[in-house]
Structure formats: C-alpha cells, structure tokens
C-alpha cells in the first residue's frame, strides 16, 4: 500500500502592522539596534531609519569650546541624555532632528530664563545619518532663534553625499555656528557606554571602522570647504 504524503500546511500570512517606537526619547536602546544602524560601513543595506543620541550640558560662554566648564548636575537624568528615532506610523512622519527640536522647546529645564548671561546650553548629537537638507534648514532657523544653544553634530554616515543640496545643507549648519564632524571610533565607544543597554560591556570594533571614519571625514571636509562659484 502506497503511503500518501501529507501536503504541508501553509500558514496564513497575517497583515503586517508597523510597530511604533515606544516613545521619544528613550533613555537607552538595544545593542542590536546600535551596531546595525551606527556601523559606518559603505554597505547601507536596510539602514533606512535614523537614530539620534543627544547630550545636553550647561556651558560657560567666552571660552574655547574644548575648555568650557560643563555640568549636567542641574539637569534631570531623563532629559540630559537620550535617544530619538524617526517618528512614523501611526504618527505623522518626522526625522529625528525635528523630533528633538520639538521636544527640546517644551522642556522646562531648557528654557532660556533658567540660564545666567554667561551660560549656554551645549547640545551634542551623535547621529546614524547626517541631516537631510530640509532638516538642516529647520535646524539653522532654530539656532538663529535660540542663541543660547550651541550645537555639535557627529554623524556615522553621510546621507546622499553625492547630491549638491545635501552638501549645501551641511555647509549651512556650519555657517550657522554648528560643529559638523564624522564620528571617530572613540565616539562610537562613547555612545556604546552612554546610550546603549548593558553599558558595562566593552565596545566591539567592527572591520573597517577606522578606514571608513577617515574616508568619510575627508569627504565631509571637502564639502565644508567648497564655496562654489
């Protein structure tokens, strides 16, 4: 008697619903997200989202940026550092930079009246992608309207680096007084410690991290030096 083969059951494919980020900002995010989205490799496959790790400090004005006195002791822990992701379903899509600015302007701890005349807020962003030109334009307007804020932007990769409008967006940020630079291996290690779960675990250096950082840094410097005709 011939034994009949059973036809394998086919699972009914359920409708996929995008899972939103739990909230913006979060204090830390997972090592898996960090290593995937912040790896500065030439292959960008699947890295469509953007993550922004921020740090806010009070600084004394009138001193070089590398010598200013900084303190976070007067800022609540949940606002002095954190991580933003692009907002998406079910909310209106927004890039991480705009999410941060909208949030920052609503925080009582960051209102100008909380500062003395000698103080400013120094905001540092560590971003998986550099800002697009539309976001750069809005960040420039924010810096013009909030002179008590200094901004430093360190990016893992350059977004659409071959397109002139994106290059001009980075130049406009520098022209507005923002520091724009490529993340170094030390920057990645710092982010692993401050913004990622299990901070006591050592940072895992990936293949090409030094070469990619140097190459991207040279490209960015060429953009920022270019003045056009």
């Amino acid at each position: 008697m011939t034994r009949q083969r059973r036809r394998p059951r086919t699972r009914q494919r359920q409708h996929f619903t995008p899972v939103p980020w739990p909230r913006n900002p979060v204090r830390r995010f997972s090592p898996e997200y960090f290593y995937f989205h912040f790896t500065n490799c030439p292959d960008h496959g699947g890295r469509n989202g953007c993550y922004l790790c921020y740090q806010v400090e009070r600084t004394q004005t009138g001193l070089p940026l590398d010598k200013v006195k900084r303190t976070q002791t007067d800022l609540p822990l949940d606002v002095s550092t954190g991580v933003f992701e692009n907002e998406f379903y079910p909310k209106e899509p927004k890039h991480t930079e705009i999410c941060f600015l909208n949030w920052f302007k609503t925080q009582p701890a960051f209102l100008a009246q909380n500062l003395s005349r000698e103080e400013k807020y120094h905001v540092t962003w560590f971003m998986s992608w550099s800002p697009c030109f539309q976001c750069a334009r809005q960040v420039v307007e924010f810096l013009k309207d909030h002179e008590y804020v200094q901004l430093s932007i360190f990016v893992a990769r350059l977004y659409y680096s071959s397109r002139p409008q994106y290059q001009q967006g980075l130049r406009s940020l520098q022209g507005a007084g923002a520091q724009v630079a490529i993340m170094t291996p030390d920057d990645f290690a710092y982010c692993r410690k401050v913004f990622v779960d299990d901070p006591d675990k050592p940072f895992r250096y990936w293949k090409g991290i030094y070469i990619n950082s140097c190459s991207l840094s040279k490209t960015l410097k060429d953009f920022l030096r270019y003045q056009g005709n």
Side-chain angles (χ1 to χ4, degrees):
M1 184 175 181
T2 305
R3 187 175 181 180
Q4 285 186 330
R5 289 184 179 182
R6 287 187 176 182
R7 180 178 298 178
R9 292 182 178 179
T10 57
R11 293 184 178 180
Q12 186 176 1
R13 193 169 182 179
Q14 295 180 348
H15 175 67
F16 174 74
T17 302
V19 179
W21 189 249
R23 62 185 177 88
N24 260 337
V26 295
R27 177 69 182 86
R28 295 177 183 271
F29 65 136
S30 71
E32 292 77 14
Y33 271 59
F34 170 71
Y35 283 109
F36 180 76
H37 286 282
F38 275 83
T39 297
N40 61 351
C41 61
D43 178 15
H44 307 149
R47 295 173 174 86
N48 299 321
C50 182
Y51 292 82
L52 183 156
C53 304
Y54 73 86
Q55 181 170 300
V56 181
E57 302 162 299
R58 286 194 179 202
T59 68
Q60 288 183 335
T61 59
L63 293 174
L65 194 58
D66 59 345
K67 294 184 179 179
V68 295
K69 180 181 178 183
R70 301 183 182 185
T71 176
Q72 290 178 302
T73 56
D74 58 345
L75 297 178
L77 181 62
D78 60 344
V79 298
S80 59
T81 60
V83 183
F84 276 88
E85 185 195 33
N86 290 343
E87 286 188 354
F88 53 101
Y89 176 90
K91 298 182 179 180
E92 179 184 353
K94 289 185 181 68
H95 285 181
T96 52
E97 307 93 310
I98 309 309
C99 295
F100 175 88
L101 296 181
N102 291 343
W103 168 84
F104 183 91
K105 290 182 285 189
T106 65
Q107 299 304 303
F110 300 148
L111 295 179
Q113 57 261 35
N114 291 336
L115 294 173
S116 68
R117 290 185 178 180
E118 295 78 21
E119 288 183 315
K120 286 192 175 185
Y121 285 121
H122 187 83
V123 177
T124 303
W125 291 349
F126 299 97
M127 301 180 62
S128 57
W129 285 105
S130 61
C132 69
F133 68 93
Q134 295 100 329
C135 288
R137 188 181 303 121
Q138 294 187 56
V139 174
V140 167
E141 291 301 317
F142 171 84
L143 293 175
K144 289 180 180 178
D145 295 337
H146 301 81
E147 296 182 353
Y148 59 92
V149 177
Q150 297 173 320
L151 177 63
S152 294
I153 306 173
F154 300 93
V155 302
R157 296 182 304 275
L158 295 171
Y159 190 55
Y160 286 123
S161 60
S162 62
R163 300 187 180 183
Q165 64 266 45
Y166 288 81
Q167 300 172 15
Q168 180 57 40
L170 298 178
R171 286 192 291 270
S172 68
L173 287 168
Q174 180 178 255
Q179 178 187 8
V180 184
I182 297 296
M183 292 179 67
T184 67
D186 287 342
D187 293 327
F188 290 114
Y190 178 79
C191 285
R192 173 66 182 91
K193 181 179 180 180
V194 176
F195 302 104
V196 183
D197 292 335
D198 299 323
D200 295 330
K201 288 189 176 180
F203 173 64
R204 300 196 312 267
Y205 292 82
W206 53 83
K207 183 178 180 181
I209 183 173
Y210 289 95
I211 295 175
N212 295 336
S213 180
C214 290
S215 176
L216 288 166
S217 182
K218 182 180 182 304
T219 301
L220 177 61
K221 288 179 181 178
D222 290 341
F223 293 166
L224 298 180
R225 279 200 303 260
Y226 179 73
Q227 299 298 323
N229 297 328

